[in-house]
Amino acid sequence: MSKAVSGFSKLSKAEKIQWIAEQHFANPAEAVQVLQKYWNNDTDLQKLHDEFIENTISNFYLPLGVAPNFVINGKPYTIPMAIEESSVVAAASKAAKFWSNRGGFKARVISSEKIGQVHFIFKGDSLKLKRFIEEIQPKFFSGTEGLTKNMQKRGGGILAIELRDKTSDLEHYYQLHATFETKDSMGANFINSCLEQFAKTLKEEAALREDFSEEEKNLQVVMSILSNYVPNCLVRAEVSCPVSELKEEKHISQEEFAEKFVRAVQIAEIEPYRAVTHNKGIMNGIDAVVIATGNDFRAVEAGVHAYASRNGKYSSLSHAKIENGIFTFWMEIPLALGTVGGLTSLHPLVKISLEMLGNPSAHELMEIVAVAGLAQNFGALRSLTTTGIQQGHMKMHLMNILNQFQATEEERKMVTKHFQHHTVSHSGVVEYLESIRNTK
Ligand code: MEV
């Protein structure tokens, strides 16, 4: 067990590493070497990364891949994806190609409203509170003018501030529930700054209120924070084509494939155990693009899964139907994304990813990300309902196994050739590799 340490954040990077190496590793020199191997030789770039967070000791790489051949609303895209899981990029690319020959993906932003709340306790007359909030509404707006000026120039700002009475759920609990339009920024800092100013105005004005009792004047602000649940920041992605144009899969006709696919989606709609995995597959595509474009994947994950439970039961985010011989597969999901601010102008690879996408607006990025999720879901369901998922997955995983056993170039060639005609399994690859090594 390591000793407690005080003032750790004040130590230099070298000192931090030294402390960690001595406390936690059987071979401290080796640990230091591994950490240093991942430093960047470009000291400015390393400094940039060091300063993203506190106590940085090294960089943690994720592969950045690309899925070409996406067509969204008639426009071609190559989508950058930062993800460690083998087969995700391959599946996205395959689905992109497939749908590019069938009209491509259609996507549209339905709404882009963000939400923030001031949570407070008011021990008093709720009608008096209601009148008070109505009367001080202009002060909420005038108090935040300095914050909203720039956002308003870009067409955004505060949309509405309403009082919500939550006392039936929690004694004396009320909210200022505010909605915002933040245009191309994700808007977290803007929203939180506005909310903290609302809270200040609320407290100051309550203290001055003549018709309030002492207890009412003393209302308690508990916290002011944006919500990552954004059911009105919604985007829809869709594909459709005649069933007869779906590809014939192994041992299965187009009609049978379409029906089986729709059935698989219906199962995820009614069965939470399956829905979680089904949606995880969607998030494989979504998170990878969200990360590559410098957005907050934890916020997206939290909001998306809350949305998947909005009817009281966790369910599939995507839907599918066959009507009059037409197969349609679609999804509506909440996505609060930004293409300005945050990491977008700081991280060189984020800038590259955004430029690769043609420097999209936040709305366009919402469409691209939703499409990446739908494509991923299509790829997963197509494999699951036809060949099974392991065939493609293990093919990609083969490289990881070869790396694990430090296979030489010659061994890689032999193993890859052999497993073109054999089912890949971890033990199968290891056995075959050993047999090659033993015959040498
Ligand atoms: C694996 O990362 C994702 C899948 O499990 C998704 C699904 O089952 O739909 C293949």
Side-chain angles (χ1 to χ4, degrees), residues 80 371 437:
V371 162
R437 287 178 175 173

Side-chain angles (χ1 to χ4, degrees), residues 85 274 277-278 280-281 284 380 384 389:
E85 185 176 330
R274 173 56 202 152
T277 318
H278 177 98
K280 189 273 182 185
N284 277 345
L384 285 167
I389 204 75

Side-chain angles (χ1 to χ4, degrees), residues 259-271 274 278 315-321 327 329-330 377 381 385:
E259 267 168 38
K260 219 173 155 191
F261 191 101
V262 171
R263 191 74 72 216
V265 175
Q266 286 168 343
I267 290 170
E269 283 170 343
I270 59 105
E271 165 54 54
R274 173 56 202 152
H278 177 98
S315 177
S316 168
L317 291 161
S318 62
H319 309 281
K321 64 177 181 187
F327 168 82
F329 179 45
W330 76 99
N377 195 208
L381 291 183
T385 55

Side-chain angles (χ1 to χ4, degrees), residues 25 28 31 83 121 123 139 142 146 161 210 242 281 315 327 334 342 370-371 388 417:
F25 296 93
I83 188 159
I121 300 296
K123 293 182 183 168
K139 299 212 163 147
S142 58
I161 307 160
E210 280 174 2
S315 177
F327 168 82
V371 162
K417 193 164 170 215

Side-chain angles (χ1 to χ4, degrees), residues 89 121 126 132 168-169 176-177 180 240 248 292 304-305 318 323 325-326 334 350 379-380 394 414:
V89 177
I121 300 296
S126 62
F132 164 62
S168 56
D169 296 325
L176 286 180
H177 182 96
F180 302 84
S240 75
E248 264 180 71
V304 165
H305 293 296
S318 62
E323 246 171 39
I326 306 288
V350 168
M394 289 311 286
M414 289 172 78

